[in-house]
Amino acid sequence: MNFVKFCMKNEAECGTDTSERTLPPAGTAMVILRQVNISVNESIAPMRKPTDPVTANWTVSPSAGDCNDYAVTKRHQLIAMGWPQAALRLAVVRIDGGQGHLVLVARLSDGDVVLDNLSSDVRPWNSLGYEWISMQSGANPRFWVNIGDHGRKLREKRFASLSGSSL
């Protein structure tokens, strides 16, 4: 719901990318990702915000914000630098203690890495110990796909309810 509200207010952030943009070479890409991650982490003061879909609001480049604001700001900056939108996907994870958290995943030719406001490092997705819940579709950023064990359970539950309703 919060992402839908964000897209309604920031339509350019959620459109399908039809350009012929390409990723920078791997070494250059990591340097850029580290710079953007550190720069955004330092420019936004951490602040707890409401999570209720009615009052929650994601913002690009606020002076203070939560993980959602950090993630959409990083994505916005990288796209403005010429990165293809399909290579930059927002992802919902659960961190220690089960708290929901939003990060930016950059899909590079040699693997996916995560830009996170909880760390100045850009790290491979599988080194974080997060539980992966859902991620934007590469084909259309307005669509999200369920991933990880949580996503598998949601798919199984949906399949079971669909199968049960047709009997």
Side-chain angles (χ1 to χ4, degrees), residues 21-148:
R21 300 174 183 213
T22 58
L23 288 171
T28 304
M30 283 303 291
V31 169
I32 294 168
L33 292 174
R34 284 185 188 106
Q35 289 172 342
V36 168
N37 193 53
I38 290 169
S39 171
V40 172
N41 286 357
E42 291 176 351
S43 69
I44 300 174
M47 176 179 88
R48 284 197 183 268
K49 290 174 55 177
T51 56
D52 174 13
V54 175
T55 56
N57 188 31
W58 296 6
T59 308
V60 173
S61 301
S63 57
D66 62 10
C67 61
N68 306 307
D69 303 318
Y70 287 92
V72 296
T73 299
K74 292 171 187 181
R75 185 175 185 276
H76 173 83
Q77 287 187 8
L78 289 163
I79 291 169
M81 297 168 78
W83 284 59
Q85 287 182 16
L88 302 168
R89 302 179 189 187
L90 299 172
V92 177
V93 300
R94 281 197 184 132
I95 58 175
D96 293 335
Q99 180 181 354
H101 185 58
L102 191 72
V103 297
L104 178 64
V105 176
R107 302 206 98 173
L108 303 177
S109 58
D110 57 347
D112 296 356
V113 295
V114 176
L115 290 76
D116 189 346
N117 65 296
L118 300 178
S119 174
S120 59
D121 295 329
V122 174
R123 299 174 289 176
W125 72 272
N126 56 357
S127 70
L128 300 170
Y130 291 164
E131 179 185 357
W132 293 86
I133 308 298
S134 61
M135 180 183 293
Q136 283 181 302
S137 163
N140 185 336
R142 290 182 185 264
F143 294 106
W144 290 64
V145 293
N146 295 322
I147 54 176

